[in-house]
Amino acid sequence: MSVFILGVAAAAAIELSPIYHAPQAHLVKPLLKTIEVEAPAHYDFSYSVRDDHTGDIKSQTETRKGDQVQGQYSLIDADGYQRIVDYTSDAHNGFNAVVRREPLGHKVIKAAPLPLAYAAPKLLAAPKLSLGLYH
């Protein structure tokens, strides 16, 4: 029983005297935070494609001043109509688009299908086997 009491007293002594090491001053580095100030975005962007061989005709323009974006894109749909989308976006109203479809007034030229470079394999006659018999 005395061994048990001695063990409990030793455990209590360890609990009462925690080990603590103060941080060393030369190891602590100051924390620096860099803040970059960004200017509001300003740009004007546009492109267009007109490939009469494939019928690929499309365009887009866009302008941004700060958080306000305004633009338009158009393309030729498969049914021969031109789809025109006017859009705006800002922090207050979000993204808004108005879609129009207008007939082109002329026939859409579709590209001819490309020829396939694949030919069906030819069947060859099976070789005649000789069994070593002379006839």
Side-chain angles (χ1 to χ4, degrees), residues 107-123:
K107 185 178 178 182
V108 175
I109 300 171
K110 294 186 180 180
L114 298 174
L116 296 177
Y118 172 79
K122 295 181 181 178
L123 296 177

Side-chain angles (χ1 to χ4, degrees), residues 51-102:
D51 187 345
D52 292 327
H53 177 72
T54 63
D56 188 15
I57 302 170
K58 57 189 169 192
S59 65
Q60 180 179 2
T61 61
E62 184 173 289
T63 301
R64 179 173 179 174
K65 293 179 181 165
D67 289 335
Q68 297 182 343
V69 178
Q70 185 175 10
Q72 179 185 75
Y73 69 88
S74 68
L75 59 108
I76 308 300
D77 284 328
D79 61 0
Y81 279 75
Q82 181 180 25
R83 182 182 344 159
I84 303 167
V85 180
D86 293 299
Y87 60 92
T88 60
S89 178
D90 61 43
H92 179 71
N93 297 310
F95 180 81
N96 292 290
V98 176
V99 180
R100 298 176 305 189
R101 289 179 38 103
E102 298 176 355

